[in-house]
mmCIF file of all heavy atoms in Angstrom:
data_model
loop_
_atom_site.group_PDB
_atom_site.id
_atom_site.type_symbol
_atom_site.label_atom_id
_atom_site.label_comp_id
_atom_site.label_asym_id
_atom_site.label_seq_id
_atom_site.Cartn_x
_atom_site.Cartn_y
_atom_site.Cartn_z
ATOM 1 N N GLY A 66 29.367 -43.314 -25.653
ATOM 2 C CA GLY A 66 30.558 -43.498 -24.865
ATOM 3 C C GLY A 66 30.278 -44.119 -23.465
ATOM 4 O O GLY A 66 31.217 -44.539 -22.801
ATOM 5 N N ARG A 67 29.037 -44.286 -23.077
ATOM 6 C CA ARG A 67 28.693 -44.925 -21.846
ATOM 7 C C ARG A 67 27.962 -46.228 -22.034
ATOM 8 O O ARG A 67 28.131 -47.181 -21.240
ATOM 9 C CB ARG A 67 27.827 -44.018 -21.016
ATOM 10 C CG ARG A 67 28.449 -42.644 -20.604
ATOM 11 C CD ARG A 67 27.593 -41.913 -19.574
ATOM 12 N NE ARG A 67 26.307 -41.586 -20.086
ATOM 13 C CZ ARG A 67 25.206 -41.937 -19.496
ATOM 14 N NH1 ARG A 67 25.194 -42.602 -18.335
ATOM 15 N NH2 ARG A 67 24.008 -41.583 -19.984
ATOM 16 N N PHE A 68 27.111 -46.314 -23.036
ATOM 17 C CA PHE A 68 26.310 -47.440 -23.346
ATOM 18 C C PHE A 68 26.809 -48.211 -24.621
ATOM 19 O O PHE A 68 27.392 -47.546 -25.509
ATOM 20 C CB PHE A 68 24.837 -47.120 -23.618
ATOM 21 C CG PHE A 68 24.146 -46.641 -22.373
ATOM 22 C CD1 PHE A 68 24.778 -46.295 -21.201
ATOM 23 C CD2 PHE A 68 22.781 -46.446 -22.425
ATOM 24 C CE1 PHE A 68 24.069 -45.835 -20.101
ATOM 25 C CE2 PHE A 68 22.016 -46.013 -21.333
ATOM 26 C CZ PHE A 68 22.654 -45.672 -20.271
ATOM 27 N N ALA A 69 26.673 -49.533 -24.593
ATOM 28 C CA ALA A 69 27.119 -50.279 -25.763
ATOM 29 C C ALA A 69 26.090 -51.281 -26.134
ATOM 30 O O ALA A 69 25.616 -52.037 -25.195
ATOM 31 C CB ALA A 69 28.414 -50.953 -25.510
ATOM 32 N N ILE A 70 25.630 -51.406 -27.353
ATOM 33 C CA ILE A 70 24.689 -52.376 -27.772
ATOM 34 C C ILE A 70 25.326 -53.524 -28.544
ATOM 35 O O ILE A 70 26.157 -53.240 -29.410
ATOM 36 C CB ILE A 70 23.570 -51.735 -28.552
ATOM 37 C CG1 ILE A 70 22.399 -52.695 -28.806
ATOM 38 C CG2 ILE A 70 24.082 -51.085 -29.883
ATOM 39 C CD1 ILE A 70 21.088 -51.982 -29.377
ATOM 40 N N THR A 71 24.995 -54.729 -28.231
ATOM 41 C CA THR A 71 25.672 -55.898 -28.930
ATOM 42 C C THR A 71 24.481 -56.864 -29.172
ATOM 43 O O THR A 71 23.403 -56.769 -28.614
ATOM 44 C CB THR A 71 26.736 -56.486 -28.118
ATOM 45 O OG1 THR A 71 26.230 -56.856 -26.847
ATOM 46 C CG2 THR A 71 27.924 -55.583 -27.942
ATOM 47 N N LYS A 72 24.764 -57.874 -30.018
ATOM 48 C CA LYS A 72 23.808 -58.924 -30.263
ATOM 49 C C LYS A 72 24.393 -60.307 -30.372
ATOM 50 O O LYS A 72 25.563 -60.506 -30.613
ATOM 51 C CB LYS A 72 23.081 -58.582 -31.599
ATOM 52 C CG LYS A 72 23.954 -58.630 -32.809
ATOM 53 C CD LYS A 72 23.179 -58.220 -34.070
ATOM 54 C CE LYS A 72 24.083 -58.090 -35.261
ATOM 55 N NZ LYS A 72 24.485 -59.433 -35.762
ATOM 56 N N ASP A 73 23.583 -61.245 -30.077
ATOM 57 C CA ASP A 73 23.937 -62.688 -30.274
ATOM 58 C C ASP A 73 23.001 -63.270 -31.273
ATOM 59 O O ASP A 73 21.810 -63.398 -31.008
ATOM 60 C CB ASP A 73 23.768 -63.389 -28.879
ATOM 61 C CG ASP A 73 24.255 -64.870 -28.963
ATOM 62 O OD1 ASP A 73 24.018 -65.508 -29.976
ATOM 63 O OD2 ASP A 73 24.769 -65.341 -27.959
ATOM 64 N N ASP A 74 23.545 -63.477 -32.470
ATOM 65 C CA ASP A 74 22.666 -63.884 -33.519
ATOM 66 C C ASP A 74 22.112 -65.258 -33.278
ATOM 67 O O ASP A 74 21.078 -65.565 -33.789
ATOM 68 C CB ASP A 74 23.421 -63.883 -34.903
ATOM 69 C CG ASP A 74 23.738 -62.489 -35.340
ATOM 70 O OD1 ASP A 74 22.904 -61.554 -35.211
ATOM 71 O OD2 ASP A 74 24.815 -62.249 -35.778
ATOM 72 N N ILE A 75 22.814 -66.139 -32.705
ATOM 73 C CA ILE A 75 22.325 -67.521 -32.445
ATOM 74 C C ILE A 75 21.237 -67.547 -31.471
ATOM 75 O O ILE A 75 20.131 -68.163 -31.743
ATOM 76 C CB ILE A 75 23.515 -68.413 -32.009
ATOM 77 C CG1 ILE A 75 24.661 -68.478 -32.957
ATOM 78 C CG2 ILE A 75 22.977 -69.838 -31.755
ATOM 79 C CD1 ILE A 75 24.281 -68.927 -34.327
ATOM 80 N N LYS A 76 21.395 -66.830 -30.354
ATOM 81 C CA LYS A 76 20.379 -66.851 -29.306
ATOM 82 C C LYS A 76 19.333 -65.799 -29.565
ATOM 83 O O LYS A 76 18.246 -65.773 -28.895
ATOM 84 C CB LYS A 76 21.061 -66.585 -27.927
ATOM 85 C CG LYS A 76 21.991 -67.600 -27.507
ATOM 86 C CD LYS A 76 22.576 -67.317 -26.129
ATOM 87 C CE LYS A 76 23.593 -68.337 -25.703
ATOM 88 N NZ LYS A 76 24.183 -68.028 -24.386
ATOM 89 N N LYS A 77 19.500 -64.869 -30.545
ATOM 90 C CA LYS A 77 18.526 -63.793 -30.822
ATOM 91 C C LYS A 77 18.303 -62.944 -29.590
ATOM 92 O O LYS A 77 17.208 -62.672 -29.212
ATOM 93 C CB LYS A 77 17.177 -64.476 -31.292
ATOM 94 C CG LYS A 77 17.258 -64.920 -32.767
ATOM 95 C CD LYS A 77 17.540 -63.762 -33.670
ATOM 96 C CE LYS A 77 17.495 -64.254 -35.175
ATOM 97 N NZ LYS A 77 17.919 -63.131 -36.112
ATOM 98 N N ILE A 78 19.411 -62.566 -29.010
ATOM 99 C CA ILE A 78 19.435 -61.700 -27.862
ATOM 100 C C ILE A 78 20.215 -60.421 -28.139
ATOM 101 O O ILE A 78 21.308 -60.537 -28.769
ATOM 102 C CB ILE A 78 20.009 -62.353 -26.613
ATOM 103 C CG1 ILE A 78 19.166 -63.557 -26.172
ATOM 104 C CG2 ILE A 78 20.054 -61.411 -25.412
ATOM 105 C CD1 ILE A 78 19.723 -64.366 -25.059
ATOM 106 N N VAL A 79 19.688 -59.312 -27.782
ATOM 107 C CA VAL A 79 20.381 -58.055 -27.853
ATOM 108 C C VAL A 79 20.646 -57.535 -26.485
ATOM 109 O O VAL A 79 19.794 -57.556 -25.641
ATOM 110 C CB VAL A 79 19.608 -57.037 -28.702
ATOM 111 C CG1 VAL A 79 20.205 -55.654 -28.647
ATOM 112 C CG2 VAL A 79 19.475 -57.434 -30.180
ATOM 113 N N TYR A 80 21.861 -57.047 -26.233
ATOM 114 C CA TYR A 80 22.286 -56.618 -24.971
ATOM 115 C C TYR A 80 22.538 -55.103 -24.990
ATOM 116 O O TYR A 80 22.904 -54.558 -26.013
ATOM 117 C CB TYR A 80 23.607 -57.265 -24.510
ATOM 118 C CG TYR A 80 23.532 -58.796 -24.441
ATOM 119 C CD1 TYR A 80 23.974 -59.583 -25.486
ATOM 120 C CD2 TYR A 80 23.000 -59.456 -23.378
ATOM 121 C CE1 TYR A 80 23.900 -60.963 -25.433
ATOM 122 C CE2 TYR A 80 22.897 -60.794 -23.285
ATOM 123 C CZ TYR A 80 23.308 -61.514 -24.345
ATOM 124 O OH TYR A 80 23.326 -62.916 -24.334
ATOM 125 N N LEU A 81 22.293 -54.497 -23.805
ATOM 126 C CA LEU A 81 22.651 -53.075 -23.669
ATOM 127 C C LEU A 81 23.480 -52.954 -22.361
ATOM 128 O O LEU A 81 22.946 -53.059 -21.333
ATOM 129 C CB LEU A 81 21.355 -52.151 -23.541
ATOM 130 C CG LEU A 81 21.659 -50.690 -23.396
ATOM 131 C CD1 LEU A 81 22.195 -50.174 -24.824
ATOM 132 C CD2 LEU A 81 20.414 -49.930 -23.102
ATOM 133 N N GLN A 82 24.759 -52.803 -22.648
ATOM 134 C CA GLN A 82 25.665 -52.603 -21.505
ATOM 135 C C GLN A 82 25.691 -51.103 -21.138
ATOM 136 O O GLN A 82 26.000 -50.305 -21.955
ATOM 137 C CB GLN A 82 27.079 -53.024 -21.872
ATOM 138 C CG GLN A 82 28.111 -52.833 -20.756
ATOM 139 C CD GLN A 82 27.854 -53.688 -19.536
ATOM 140 O OE1 GLN A 82 27.560 -54.806 -19.675
ATOM 141 N NE2 GLN A 82 28.078 -53.086 -18.331
ATOM 142 N N MET A 83 25.341 -50.774 -19.915
ATOM 143 C CA MET A 83 25.227 -49.408 -19.459
ATOM 144 C C MET A 83 26.264 -49.153 -18.393
ATOM 145 O O MET A 83 26.195 -49.763 -17.249
ATOM 146 C CB MET A 83 23.788 -49.163 -18.933
ATOM 147 C CG MET A 83 22.724 -49.513 -19.917
ATOM 148 S SD MET A 83 21.072 -49.008 -19.412
ATOM 149 C CE MET A 83 20.913 -50.068 -17.931
#
Side-chain angles (χ1 to χ4, degrees):
R67 299 189 299 125
F68 291 11
I70 189 168
T71 57
K72 62 183 176 74
D73 183 322
D74 290 321
I75 303 298
K76 296 181 180 179
K77 284 297 182 184
I78 297 176
V79 171
Y80 301 98
L81 184 67
Q82 178 67 41
M83 305 186 296

